Amino acid sequence: MTYSRPIFAVAPMIDWTDRHCRYFHRQISRQALLYTEMVVADAIIHGPRDRLLGHDAAEHPLALQLGGSDPAKLAEAVTIAEPYGYDEINLNVGCPSDRVQSGTFGACLMLTPDTVAECIAAMKRVATVPVTVKCRIGVDEQEPEQALPELITRVLDAGADAIWIHARKAWLKGLSPKENREIPPLDYQIVYRMKQRWPDVFIGINGGIRTLDEAAAHLEQVDGVMLGRAAYQNAAILADIDQRFFGAPAVEPDWEALCGRMMAYAERHIASGGRLQHVARHMVGLFTGLPGARRYRQILSTDAAKNGAGPEVLAAAFAAVDFSGTEQEAVSA
């Protein structure tokens, strides 16, 4: 992983960007940087490591997002994760959920920038890949023009290699995680100002970005752009990423080949004791805007959830879609 070029990333999303989601996204874009769900340091130290950290080699470039506030535990988690070959380690300083706050990490760490710096310094001492931070512009009554530069200063002094900024405040009390993704107003300009203040530091932007045109506009101001729900709910948007942002040759998406690869992947997962639904649930939004997309969604939402469902359900779902619609209809819907 190198932060010397523009980067397009798919955001870490709890309960969404698991290994099956990432494998699926990688079949559509070869270049986008993918993130794991947040994994708590304590879980890595004491829990099922292979289940938490294992991934398919095809997922790279791949970043591991950690949650925690104890420098020693985070350093231990980084050391444990080392053999799994992640391309980046990211510290979550942005998640506002109650279960994250109860562990004194996530967005509430915006209130203690010195603690974040200590965590980054400890992680850097043992990491062999870039260590980055994903944060908000502030929390609660904080003044972002003060809180955000203070955090950035601390973590850069501690050795952070890049900063990803979700351009909203987080309200630790009174708003649900869903509301925290929608209600606090977006402030992209403050992220731009941080890039102007630190021109030699990689600064990426996240929050409310819905289209590739919006992403391209942000990349005129900052170094990286990160899509979350837009990429998950309409994964076809990823089909144009490699050509548009990474200079790859323009190619028409081969949906039949994608179906075949996902069927083979699902077959391996089922053979290892998993269920088709674990894979299929991430694919439901793929063909938004194309004729047959509704039937496609119905098949994946119902048939894939049945006991004993096999890869042939994916074939039936793909067969319901009319691909005579233009690629642009699927990508821009």
Side-chain angles (χ1 to χ4, degrees), residues 247-287:
V251 294
E252 291 289 327
D254 189 337
W255 300 122
E256 182 178 350
L258 171 65
C259 179
R261 293 194 298 271
M262 292 310 300
M263 288 178 66
Y265 177 82
E267 185 172 18
R268 295 194 299 271
H269 176 61
I270 293 168
S272 68
R275 299 185 60 191
L276 178 65
Q277 186 182 27
H278 299 157
V279 178
R281 72 185 186 97
H282 302 296
M283 303 172 62
V284 171
L286 178 59
F287 296 122

Side-chain angles (χ1 to χ4, degrees), residues 3-220:
Y3 280 96
S4 60
R5 60 170 184 163
I7 289 176
F8 181 100
V10 178
M13 292 174 280
I14 293 176
D15 297 328
W16 284 7
T17 52
D18 63 17
R19 61 189 302 173
H20 309 305
C21 172
R22 300 189 306 263
Y23 184 90
F24 169 54
H25 284 173
R26 180 58 69 219
Q27 305 314 303
I28 306 173
S29 169
R30 299 294 183 183
Q31 299 293 330
L33 173 60
L34 304 181
Y35 279 79
T36 70
E37 304 171 87
M38 182 186 65
V39 186
V40 178
D42 272 326
I44 292 174
I45 295 169
H46 303 292
R49 297 172 182 178
D50 284 346
R51 181 173 67 82
L52 293 170
L53 297 173
H55 58 273
D56 193 287
E59 295 174 37
H60 293 277
L62 178 63
L64 169 66
Q65 187 181 68
L66 294 179
S69 59
D70 183 313
K73 288 182 178 179
L74 284 164
E76 184 176 357
V78 171
T79 300
I80 293 169
E82 170 71 21
Y84 290 86
Y86 286 93
D87 301 295
E88 172 198 323
I89 308 294
N90 178 266
L91 180 64
N92 184 318
V93 190
C95 181
S97 74
D98 290 341
R99 60 176 169 170
V100 169
Q101 291 182 55
S102 66
T104 321
F105 51 91
C108 63
L109 286 174
M110 295 287 301
L111 298 168
T112 56
D114 287 340
T115 298
V116 180
E118 291 169 6
C119 292
I120 292 297
M123 295 163 69
K124 283 288 293 184
R125 281 194 289 270
V126 297
T128 59
V129 295
V131 173
T132 68
V133 172
K134 186 172 187 290
C135 65
R136 293 283 184 130
I137 63 173
V139 298
D140 296 340
E141 301 300 335
Q142 280 185 324
E143 172 50 58
E145 294 289 356
Q146 297 175 355
L148 184 56
E150 182 178 5
L151 178 72
I152 293 174
T153 297
R154 296 286 192 279
V155 299
L156 290 179
D157 287 346
D161 295 287
I163 315 291
W164 287 97
I165 303 171
H166 185 146
R168 283 188 175 97
K169 265 190 174 185
W171 290 93
L172 302 179
K173 301 296 181 183
L175 293 181
S176 69
K178 180 178 185 296
E179 290 170 331
N180 260 303
R181 293 192 298 267
E182 299 171 351
I183 293 178
L186 287 158
D187 186 354
Y188 296 135
Q189 296 299 320
I190 193 173
V191 183
Y192 298 166
R193 289 194 291 276
M194 296 304 102
K195 177 58 187 176
Q196 292 164 4
R197 182 165 174 174
W198 283 280
D200 297 327
V201 173
F202 180 99
I203 292 181
I205 198 166
N206 170 228
I209 304 166
R210 305 302 272 170
T211 69
L212 298 190
D213 286 343
E214 292 177 23
H218 285 302
L219 284 174
E220 294 179 2

